[in-house]
């Protein structure tokens, strides 16, 4: 059912798809969607905002710079009550944020004020957090700093990958927006200032950040592996000039087979393990070299051994 509230939506990724769907289900008149063109060099594993907009006959634009004069005037011409940003990758500047009559709101993939900035799910997994979630907040010029309207929490289990957590956060974002919209639309939503001292900003992650530091504990190494597990670029180490990718691991606080603190990768039957410097071990569930999975037999054939001592 339509209502008389209008919005312009900046959106991308699965969170963008699901939150746009929520606005439409709640009857918001979305007059324009601003999204990104998919990059052919990127692994596109997530939903398509433009496709959903097309199904609802909503105009879509994909500017290189959302803050350019043409885009600003296009948004201004819509005379929106609200502006929403759902996992849109670019910062929206003050001129855009001043356009909507009833405010601009963003959905962020963390429990604000924690993990403000880029890649919040990956950073939360990397740091071994036990929970995260989604936060709907008012947009101000400083990123992820405006008043909080609503949050939803989700657990991070010890062997969840960032990809699995991202699916949970997507659901949390959908539930968060669905629950908050009635009060936002009728003007009764509570706005709570964020205590920015209770969290930090985090930057973009790069593929090279996945290199494993074998001086770290088994838990820390496991957190890196699952934080960058596919479809993200993956964790890796170098051995005699060859890159070996460690794409999935399992942690259950087992003690190492050899408890001398020397990191060692080895096979026990068909199972691969790493004894770590804190005398705990990880089971490696997916090991890849030159794009091909490594079994115990293939590992020994290619490297001439079924045991590697890893550089500290």
């Amino acid at each position: 059912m339509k209502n008389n509230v209008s919005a312009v939506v900046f959106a991308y990724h699965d969170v963008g798809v699901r939150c746009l769907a929520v606005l439409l289900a709640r009857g918001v008149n979305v007059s324009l969607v601003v999204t990104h063109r998919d990059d052919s060099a990127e692994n596109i594993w997530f939903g398509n905002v433009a496709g959903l907009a097309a199904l609802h006959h909503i105009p879509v634009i994909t500017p290189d710079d959302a803050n350019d004069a043409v885009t600003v005037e296009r948004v201004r011409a819509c005379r929106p009550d609200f502006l929403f940003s759902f996992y849109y990758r670019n910062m929206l500047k003050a001129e855009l944020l001043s356009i909507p009559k009833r405010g601009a709101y963003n959905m962020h993939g963390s429990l604000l004020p924690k993990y403000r900035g880029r890649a919040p799910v990956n950073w939360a997994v990397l740091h071994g957090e036990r929970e995260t979630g989604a936060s709907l907040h008012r947009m101000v010029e400083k990123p992820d700093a405006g008043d909080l309207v609503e949050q939803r929490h989700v657990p991070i289990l010890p062997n969840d990958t960032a990809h699995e957590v991202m699916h949970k956060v997507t659901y949390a974002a959908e539930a968060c927006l669905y629950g908050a919209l009635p009060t936002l639309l009728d003007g009764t939503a509570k706005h709570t200032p964020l205590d920015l001292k209770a969290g930090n900003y985090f930057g973009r992650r790069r593929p090279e950040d996945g290199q494993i530091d074998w001086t770290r504990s088994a838990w820390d190494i496991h957190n890196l592996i699952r934080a960058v597990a596919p479809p993200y670029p993956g964790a890796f180490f170098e051995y005699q000039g060859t890159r070996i990718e460690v794409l999935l691991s399992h942690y259950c606080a087992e003690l190492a087979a050899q408890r001398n603190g020397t990191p060692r990768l080895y096979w026990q039957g068909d199972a691969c393990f790493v004894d770590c410097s804190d005398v705990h071990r990880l089971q490696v569930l997916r090991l890849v070299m030159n794009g091909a999975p490594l079994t115990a037999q293939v590992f020994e054939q290619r490297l001439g051994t079924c045991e590697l001592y890893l550089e500290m």
Side-chain angles (χ1 to χ4, degrees):
M1 179 182 294
K2 286 286 185 181
N3 56 47
N4 58 1
V5 176
S6 66
V8 170
V9 174
F10 290 71
Y12 196 59
H13 215 282
D14 286 341
V15 170
V17 171
R18 297 310 304 169
C19 287
L20 174 58
V22 168
L23 292 182
L24 297 171
R26 286 293 200 187
V28 175
N29 176 26
V30 178
S31 53
L32 178 68
V33 166
V34 186
T35 188
H36 302 288
R37 290 183 292 272
D38 290 338
D39 184 348
S40 60
E42 183 178 353
N43 179 14
I44 305 298
W45 51 268
F46 40 81
N48 185 271
V49 169
L52 177 60
L55 289 174
H56 291 267
H57 311 291
I58 301 169
V60 175
I61 58 174
T62 56
D64 293 329
D65 179 6
N67 298 285
D68 65 25
V70 172
T71 303
V72 169
E73 289 310 308
R74 182 76 182 269
V75 173
R76 197 187 310 278
C78 293
R79 302 175 62 84
D81 294 302
F82 291 96
L83 184 152
F84 291 100
S85 178
F86 305 131
Y87 263 64
Y88 190 74
R89 289 177 168 178
N90 297 340
M91 288 293 302
L92 305 183
K93 295 182 180 178
E95 189 173 12
L96 274 174
L97 300 182
S98 69
I99 292 173
K101 296 187 283 291
R102 297 179 59 185
Y105 292 85
N106 176 58
M107 185 66 71
H108 185 72
S110 78
L111 298 174
L112 290 176
K114 294 182 177 180
Y115 296 100
R116 306 192 299 278
R118 302 284 187 174
V121 168
N122 305 80
W123 283 113
V125 173
L126 180 68
H127 289 155
E129 298 286 358
R130 300 297 189 181
E131 67 172 3
T132 189
S135 301
L136 181 67
H137 68 98
R138 185 184 287 276
M139 296 179 75
V140 294
E141 201 164 4
K142 187 174 183 178
D144 304 325
D147 292 352
L148 182 68
V149 175
E150 184 68 88
Q151 279 187 338
R152 289 289 189 276
H153 293 233
V154 295
I156 303 177
L157 305 184
N159 288 291
D160 283 344
T161 66
H163 187 219
E164 291 168 330
V165 176
M166 188 67 227
H167 286 310
K168 297 183 187 183
V169 167
T170 299
Y171 171 75
E174 178 179 336
C176 183
L177 183 63
Y178 191 84
L181 262 181
T183 58
L184 202 61
L185 298 182
D186 70 16
T188 64
K190 182 180 178 181
H191 290 66
T192 304
L194 292 173
D195 177 8
L196 299 186
K197 293 180 181 178
N200 293 303
Y201 282 102
F202 290 85
R204 197 186 285 275
R205 291 192 58 81
R206 303 164 298 171
E208 54 266 36
D209 295 330
Q211 184 160 12
I212 297 170
D213 176 0
W214 295 112
T215 67
R216 305 298 296 269
S217 69
W219 176 242
D220 287 344
I221 292 169
H222 173 63
N223 288 338
L224 172 64
I225 293 166
R226 65 197 185 109
V228 298
Y232 302 106
F236 67 93
F237 66 97
E238 302 283 343
Y239 181 76
Q240 296 182 349
T242 299
R243 176 173 290 199
I244 299 175
E245 297 174 279
V246 186
L247 300 184
L248 193 62
S249 58
H250 182 81
Y251 179 85
C252 56
E254 286 186 325
L255 289 174
Q258 290 185 4
R259 301 174 195 173
N260 57 11
T262 301
R264 176 179 71 112
L265 185 148
Y266 58 97
W267 296 81
Q268 288 183 346
D270 292 331
C272 182
F273 296 91
V274 176
D275 287 347
C276 297
S277 62
D278 67 339
V279 302
H280 285 79
R281 75 175 184 175
L282 294 176
Q283 184 171 356
V284 176
L285 301 179
R286 188 177 173 195
L287 199 65
V288 170
M289 188 168 67
N290 298 326
L294 292 175
T295 62
Q297 182 179 7
V298 172
F299 188 90
E300 188 168 10
Q301 287 174 348
R302 293 194 177 186
L303 298 178
T305 180
C306 60
E307 178 183 66
L308 297 182
Y309 285 91
L310 303 162
E311 293 185 5
M312 296 276 283

